[in-house]
Amino acid sequence: MFRFLFSFYLLAGLVAPARAQDEGPIIVESILFNGGSFTEFYNGIQKDTSGGLRKFDFAPTLGFGAVFPMEVGWRFIPEINWVLPKTQGDLQIIKNTLMLRGDFSYDPLDWLRLRLGSSLMWMNQHGRGGKVKMKNGTSTSTFYYPDENHSSLNNTIDLGAELLCDKWALR
């Protein structure tokens, strides 16, 4: 059975030219530095007792990559992005995410880049143990924090658009 994960990933990236125009053939067109926020499980996790669903998270993300030109208008863009560690449950759970991305892009216009690719996401959660009593329906229940370290690898399909403006981009 397939299970879908929708992630909203907003980035503003600075593009730094990697070579001067008179240095011969292009090997690396640009070096990318990016920062933004990562949202996991969009509209799929309850955030309050009235049934409201979580939309966007504030999860600072940093990364870097490179742009390799291919055929006219096409590029290969590998990246490494790191979601800064988050704590949950009164600092009892620490979550860390690292993404290795490989996207192909097509630039139909000077200001628009369409992207398609794949990512390998490594997610690690470390629990410090403990328990908490919380409301559960009409009564209360005890919920336990994990006291172990667990990691998972996920392969994703990436589909997106990027607005280009001089040395900045919005994905």
Side-chain angles (χ1 to χ4, degrees), residues 26 36 39 48-49 89 109 114 140-142 151 154 170-171:
I26 298 175
T39 295
D48 55 36
T49 57
L109 303 168
L114 304 175
T140 60
S141 296
T142 301
S151 293
N154 298 295
L170 179 65
R171 187 177 317 165

Side-chain angles (χ1 to χ4, degrees), residues 105-122:
S105 74
Y106 179 70
D107 298 358
L109 303 168
D110 289 341
W111 55 270
L112 179 64
R113 174 173 289 159
L114 304 175
R115 296 173 70 125
L116 174 66
S118 182
S119 293
L120 183 64
M121 297 176 65
W122 173 73

